[in-house]
Amino acid sequence: MSTQVELKVYPNKLDLALYEPCTGYTGQTLSSWLQVNVPAYDDREEPLFSVNINGEHVLPSEWTIYKFKRGDDIKLVVEAKDPITIAYAVIAVIAIGVAVYAANQIPDNYNSTTPDGSSIYDINTQGNKPRLMGVIPEGAGRHLIFPDYLTMPRREYINNEQWLYLMLCVGKGEYEILPQEITIGNTPVNRYVGDVDYQVFGPGEDVTTHEAHRNVYTSSEVGSTAGTNGIELKGKVTNSGGSNSVYDYTFIDDKIKVYMVEYEPELGGYIRYLVMPPFDIGEILTVQFSLENQNDGYYKLIEKGRNGSTVKKVDGQFQDDPNWTGFITESDSHANVNVENSGGDGQFNGPFFACPKGEKTNKLWLDFSLPRGLGELDDNGNFLSRTVALKIEYRDDGALSWTPVDTITFTNSTNDQLGRTVSVDIPTKIRPEVRVKRITAANDDTRIYDEIYWTSLKSELESATRYEGMTTIAVKIRGTNALAGSAENKFNLIATRKLPIYENGAWTEPKPTTDIAPFFAHVIKSSGHSDNKIGLDEANALHSIWHARGDEFNAVFDSASTIFETLKRVLAVGFAEPTIDFGRIIPVRDQKRTIYKHMYQPDNYIGQLDRSISLIDDDEPDGVEVEYFSPITWKSETVICLLPEDQGINPEKVRAFGITSRDKAYQYGMRKRRTRRYRRTRFDFKTEMDALNSRYLDYCALADDIPGYEQTGRVQFINGRSIFIDNENLIWQTGEPHILALRKPDGTLSGPYNATKGSAINEVIIDRDLDFQATLNGTMEPPLYMFGINTRWCNGVIIRDIKPSSIDKVSVTADLDDDRVYLDDDSLAPIL
């Protein structure tokens, strides 16, 4: 003989003092108990509750095996499966369904916060920019994108033409990009034949096939500034009237004697005489012979004189060398003596570090520009060839000695601007400092064009070879006059997101799509949830509606947001919202409906039904002004949405994030305007557990307590189509068609049925057979009914809020629906 056992159901695992006692029987399995006592129960891969018997955790696989025994301590604990569920896991497992309120106000969208980097929604900030530590933009549907820098732009001279390299991030995910929709400014790149080269890389593809992939750092200490072309490399001026002058040196003890050697035409030969050295006290001099010499090195000028200048030897860091005892005597030397550290005529410029502190490189680029060309005019106006030679040296941070690079020479005969990028490969990675000097003498002859500038110092840092999870584009642009002003920060494109689509119970390969449902599912899946957390069937049903209507979601997310806020934005363009039901996120659409889901009337209220009506305020908006993004100009435009009685003097301003159609923006605005105007009645009531049957935005039948409207009560007896009720004073209105609706055991509405008066005073005859089997033996609550004339038998309401307040009480808020809300859902925007 079976005996009863007690099951304790804990709605909140954080408060084990609160539980609901339930009854089972010995020999019964948990699985069979759930099926008998929990009508909504279904087997799940991840149950919404855990089972503990006699202090031991019982796995779901054992629920069909273990049989209750007398004296068992059985505990069922509701387990929250995610942060959103935690907030609402306060009800017993007996009512496993939970409907969650989601606010129907769309967040003020485009730029609620200022993102790091560019924003396509603000015309004042549109452009390519770095997004340091920012959110990787993610596109949905078809939209304009200004890709963000993955590496900083760099320029390089190739065959005396300057080219710009850009490595850009289109966005997270995979996109379709058509060649004709890639532009610089407003001009498609295919108009610049030969001037633009680009390559699109999908997520994870090798980007090293394009030179733009390199992560190049440009030193801020070398380069052009306002009014200058860069660092001018100056050579010693040696022309003093037409004959070349040279210096000879004598090195003895700690002194340097400087001799000027000049050609004397009257003597027909050279003369040599002591001169004041062309150096200043305190300057660092480099002494270098054409062949190896022990006097080579750095020297600091201590005292300056015509008959000899005193120096002190220093090291590469310009520190005194205490071991130096003097020069090895050398007379009439043609050594090169230059000032090391001032960047003056004929001196080294620099050194400058090529990469930031903490970084190393083995690849350098140095840019040089000759703005007036290179050459020499002869007496007949012909342009003759001329050569300029440069010396480049580098060393590691902290090193004493310099490593020379092969002498760089420029030779040409033109007055057109010239430029060259010199690349330097370093055997091992170091943090180099670089210096450059001109070793060709300068000339003050106005017919000679040989000014040269050092305009840039660059180094390659660690470069990515692929970018997982994002689409990138590498670009190489010739710096022509047509592109000079817009190429670097106005590169843009129109991309269409590729996403898998759920069809016939399976996911397709990613394909270009502007539909709402695929991106809705993607948002949830990209947050780490599996398919069983997505209301795929519900989304697929709405997909058919959205696609047929032409509803699209076209947007770019470039600032941080929560998954729920993102889903609200995505679904809003289709008049829908996200809710959580049985642990799944599902979309529900606010649309015109005629079939009622559930019935609520005084017999299943707790307390009174509260009605509140919002009256029209003189100050409330008299229209809606919708801001949307035009797919033609890709700028914000507006459309005004007015009812016939509206003047539009004080419209509500709304931003339609994700809408790029004027007609759709109008429909969106008119829905908001009509909702504000015609949904002004709200109902608040409480039930026991009944309201947990409903979901957010369900369309339900609600009984009112106003005399002359519906009549309600309980069914006493059913005989075929004859329904006997508990009201012997049922009011029939002559000449009016009547309706009877019944409540099924699961809370859903049966009917409504056309009703006629029976022979008994409490008999109602319906026009067709009932669609459920009523239980009237007292084991459960009998069916409830609502009765009235065809136009006033119930209030059709939209469920707005369901809040469990304990294990036996639920608060409900509902709006009185009005068919006028939906009248402009397919309307076209007025012609401008």
Side-chain angles (χ1 to χ4, degrees):
M1 180 178 177
S2 298
T3 58
Q4 290 186 349
V5 294
E6 184 182 47
L7 290 82
K8 298 177 181 177
V9 179
Y10 295 85
N12 184 358
K13 67 184 300 181
L14 301 179
D15 184 6
L16 297 182
L18 177 65
Y19 68 88
E20 178 183 357
C22 299
T23 301
Y25 298 92
T26 58
Q28 191 177 22
T29 65
L30 178 63
S31 179
S32 63
W33 181 86
L34 289 168
Q35 292 171 4
V36 171
N37 293 276
V38 186
Y41 172 73
D42 63 336
D43 292 325
R44 304 172 59 89
E45 184 177 345
E46 296 182 31
L48 299 180
F49 58 94
S50 62
V51 180
N52 189 292
I53 299 178
N54 301 327
E56 297 291 335
H57 178 65
V58 180
L59 297 174
S61 59
E62 301 177 71
W63 292 0
T64 59
I65 301 172
Y66 183 85
K67 297 181 179 180
F68 298 153
K69 300 180 180 63
R70 185 176 181 180
D72 275 350
D73 181 15
I74 306 169
K75 296 178 179 178
L76 309 185
V77 182
V78 174
E79 297 286 349
K81 298 299 182 183
D82 50 65
I84 298 176
T85 309
I86 290 173
Y88 297 97
V90 293
I91 61 171
V93 72
I94 297 301
I96 291 179
V98 179
V100 178
Y101 169 73
N104 62 351
Q105 295 299 316
I106 302 171
D108 187 17
N109 40 50
Y110 302 155
N111 296 312
S112 56
T113 59
T114 302
D116 296 322
S118 64
S119 172
I120 60 167
Y121 295 111
D122 184 349
I123 190 62
N124 296 315
T125 62
Q126 285 183 349
N128 312 115
K129 295 180 182 180
R131 190 176 288 270
L132 301 176
M133 305 303 292
V135 175
I136 300 175
E138 182 156 7
R142 183 177 184 272
H143 211 285
L144 175 75
I145 294 176
F146 282 85
D148 295 313
Y149 294 145
L150 288 168
T151 62
M152 289 307 295
R154 68 179 176 94
R155 288 177 166 80
E156 181 177 328
Y157 290 109
I158 302 175
N159 297 327
N160 287 318
E161 294 178 326
Q162 191 178 64
W163 289 79
L164 173 67
Y165 291 95
L166 302 173
M167 189 67 195
L168 303 165
C169 171
V170 175
K172 187 176 180 182
E174 188 177 0
Y175 299 81
E176 178 187 63
I177 302 171
L178 302 178
Q180 65 270 25
E181 294 185 327
I182 302 175
T183 62
I184 296 175
N186 295 314
T187 305
V189 296
N190 55 19
R191 303 286 180 87
Y192 300 108
V193 179
D195 291 333
V196 180
D197 168 66
Y198 69 88
Q199 188 173 352
V200 177
F201 298 94
E205 290 185 3
D206 183 5
V207 299
T208 59
T209 56
H210 198 286
E211 187 69 14
H213 87 280
R214 297 180 183 274
N215 180 23
V216 176
Y217 170 81
T218 301
S219 171
S220 60
E221 298 171 292
V222 181
S224 59
T225 58
T228 69
N229 295 314
I231 299 174
E232 184 175 2
L233 303 177
K234 300 179 180 180
K236 283 291 185 181
V237 178
T238 58
N239 191 328
S240 306
S243 299
N244 289 328
S245 300
V246 296
Y247 291 108
D248 275 351
Y249 302 93
T250 293
F251 301 92
I252 181 171
D253 296 331
D254 61 351
K255 292 181 173 55
I256 299 178
K257 292 184 179 181
V258 184
Y259 297 88
M260 175 68 74
V261 181
E262 282 189 331
Y263 180 78
E264 179 55 55
E266 294 181 2
L267 297 177
Y270 290 89
I271 61 172
R272 179 174 178 270
Y273 52 90
L274 278 169
V275 296
M276 186 69 74
F279 317 120
D280 294 325
I281 293 174
E283 290 185 327
I284 305 297
L285 311 179
T286 60
V287 177
Q288 188 175 28
F289 290 79
S290 57
L291 299 176
E292 187 72 24
N293 188 286
Q294 296 183 56
N295 286 326
D296 285 356
Y298 303 108
Y299 299 88
K300 185 175 183 179
L301 189 63
I302 304 300
E303 187 178 58
K304 185 175 178 178
R306 183 181 292 274
N307 291 315
S309 299
T310 306
V311 298
K312 181 184 296 185
K313 188 169 186 181
V314 295
D315 61 21
Q317 299 294 317
F318 308 148
Q319 302 298 316
D320 292 349
D321 182 353
N323 299 319
W324 187 63
T325 58
F327 289 111
I328 297 173
T329 302
E330 176 78 26
S331 298
D332 302 333
S333 169
H334 292 288
N336 288 318
V337 179
N338 291 296
V339 176
E340 167 75 15
N341 62 333
S342 68
D345 293 356
Q347 303 165 13
F348 272 108
N349 290 267
F352 304 111
F353 281 110
C355 59
K357 194 169 184 177
E359 299 285 351
K360 293 186 177 183
T361 186
N362 58 0
K363 182 76 173 180
L364 303 175
W365 292 270
L366 294 88
D367 291 348
F368 300 97
S369 172
L370 295 91
R372 298 178 63 226
L374 180 60
E376 180 178 356
L377 287 171
D378 64 10
D379 293 339
N380 296 321
N382 299 314
F383 227 83
L384 306 178
S385 179
R386 191 169 179 83
T387 298
V388 172
L390 304 179
K391 184 173 185 178
I392 302 172
E393 293 182 344
Y394 68 85
R395 68 180 177 188
D396 194 5
D397 185 8
L400 301 180
S401 60
W402 291 90
T403 301
V405 177
D406 291 342
T407 300
I408 307 300
T409 59
F410 296 78
T411 302
N412 216 312
S413 56
T414 180
N415 59 356
D416 293 334
Q417 181 174 347
L418 301 174
R420 186 197 296 182
T421 296
V422 176
S423 63
V424 178
D425 293 314
I426 302 174
T428 58
K429 285 193 173 185
I430 60 173
R431 187 191 180 211
E433 49 182 348
V434 182
R435 63 183 188 178
V436 179
K437 74 173 178 180
R438 172 174 171 155
I439 56 179
T440 300
N443 199 295
D444 59 4
D445 194 326
T446 58
R447 295 186 300 177
I448 294 176
Y449 298 75
D450 65 355
E451 295 95 338
I452 186 167
Y453 292 84
W454 182 15
T455 59
S456 182
L457 171 61
K458 295 164 287 188
S459 63
E460 182 177 10
L461 305 183
E462 194 70 31
S463 299
T465 60
R466 63 188 72 247
Y467 293 90
E468 299 294 341
M470 67 179 76
T471 296
T472 58
I473 183 168
V475 190
K476 180 182 177 182
I477 304 172
R478 190 201 309 268
T480 64
N481 289 336
L483 292 172
S486 58
E488 184 169 339
N489 63 359
K490 291 298 180 183
F491 188 90
N492 62 88
L493 50 87
I494 298 174
T496 304
R497 185 66 182 273
K498 290 184 177 181
L499 290 171
I501 299 175
Y502 190 75
E503 294 178 344
N504 301 319
W507 293 99
T508 67
E509 289 296 316
K511 62 179 71 174
T513 178
T514 58
D515 286 320
I516 299 170
F519 194 75
F520 164 79
H522 165 74
V523 171
I524 303 173
K525 288 173 70 72
S526 64
S527 301
H529 295 291
S530 57
D531 285 358
N532 62 4
K533 297 296 183 183
I534 311 172
L536 292 175
D537 292 337
E538 292 84 352
N540 208 26
L542 290 180
H543 172 68
S544 300
I545 297 174
W546 289 326
H547 190 78
R549 283 175 42 82
D551 291 340
E552 299 178 350
F553 185 74
N554 301 305
V556 176
F557 291 90
D558 58 3
S559 58
S561 183
T562 64
I563 178 176
F564 221 64
E565 289 300 317
T566 300
L567 292 177
K568 285 161 66 176
R569 287 184 171 191
V570 172
L571 296 178
V573 301
F575 305 137
E577 297 179 50
T579 69
I580 297 176
D581 184 72
F582 286 88
R584 298 178 307 140
I585 302 177
I586 65 172
V588 291
R589 187 172 187 266
D590 185 0
Q591 56 194 353
K592 184 177 180 179
R593 286 158 289 188
T594 58
I595 300 176
Y596 300 97
K597 292 292 293 291
H598 299 97
M599 173 194 292
Y600 297 103
Q601 49 107 306
D603 286 270
N604 57 346
Y605 297 158
I606 297 177
Q608 297 296 315
L609 174 71
D610 293 330
R611 174 200 295 260
S612 57
I613 300 176
S614 175
L615 300 177
I616 296 177
D617 190 332
D618 291 339
D619 295 328
E620 75 176 38
D622 62 342
V624 174
E625 184 181 50
V626 180
E627 180 182 343
Y628 68 100
F629 224 56
S630 167
I632 300 173
T633 64
W634 293 110
K635 296 178 176 62
S636 294
E637 296 186 5
T638 59
V639 59
I640 192 73
C641 305
L642 304 175
L643 293 172
E645 64 270 23
D646 290 336
Q647 297 183 25
I649 298 174
N650 178 35
E652 176 185 3
K653 297 183 184 300
V654 174
R655 288 173 174 163
F657 185 76
I659 291 180
T660 55
S661 161
R662 186 169 184 268
D663 288 335
K664 291 299 175 183
Y666 179 75
Q667 293 167 12
Y668 180 84
M670 287 306 297
R671 170 66 79 88
K672 280 193 168 293
R673 177 66 189 120
R674 287 180 170 277
T675 299
R676 175 184 285 274
R677 178 65 179 83
Y678 299 119
R679 279 188 185 159
R680 311 187 75 93
T681 301
R682 190 182 82 173
F683 296 97
D684 290 280
F685 60 96
K686 292 182 174 63
T687 72
E688 292 184 345
M689 307 300 286
D690 304 47
L692 292 176
N693 291 318
S694 294
R695 296 176 176 177
Y696 182 61
L697 293 189
D698 271 356
Y699 184 56
C700 297
L702 182 70
D704 208 338
D705 54 2
I706 297 178
Y709 278 73
E710 66 277 343
Q711 301 167 69
T712 63
R714 299 170 182 266
V715 173
Q716 292 182 331
F717 181 70
I718 298 176
N719 182 17
R721 295 184 180 182
S722 293
I723 313 298
F724 296 86
I725 60 176
D726 62 356
N727 186 353
E728 296 182 353
N729 297 311
L730 204 59
I731 300 174
W732 295 83
Q733 298 186 33
T734 304
E736 293 285 349
H738 290 76
I739 293 293
L740 179 73
L742 304 180
R743 181 177 180 269
K744 299 178 184 179
D746 62 359
T748 57
L749 185 141
S750 176
Y753 301 95
N754 293 318
T756 56
K757 192 173 183 180
S759 58
I761 59 174
N762 65 336
E763 180 186 4
V764 178
I765 301 174
I766 58 177
D767 62 339
R768 60 186 186 277
D769 294 338
L770 289 176
D771 58 1
F772 72 100
Q773 183 65 44
T775 302
L776 298 166
N777 59 9
T779 60
M780 63 187 309
E781 188 177 39
L784 307 180
Y785 73 87
M786 296 171 66
F787 173 83
I789 63 173
N790 190 40
T791 57
R792 291 188 303 187
W793 68 272
C794 78
N795 292 294
V797 298
I798 303 294
I799 300 296
R800 284 294 177 185
D801 192 7
I802 300 174
K803 290 183 178 178
S805 55
S806 68
I807 61 174
D808 61 356
K809 188 177 296 184
V810 180
S811 298
V812 184
T813 298
D815 290 338
L816 181 64
D817 197 21
D818 191 313
D819 287 346
R820 291 174 292 181
V821 168
Y822 312 103
L823 291 182
D824 281 310
D825 284 0
D826 298 303
S827 298
L828 301 181
I831 298 175
L832 295 174

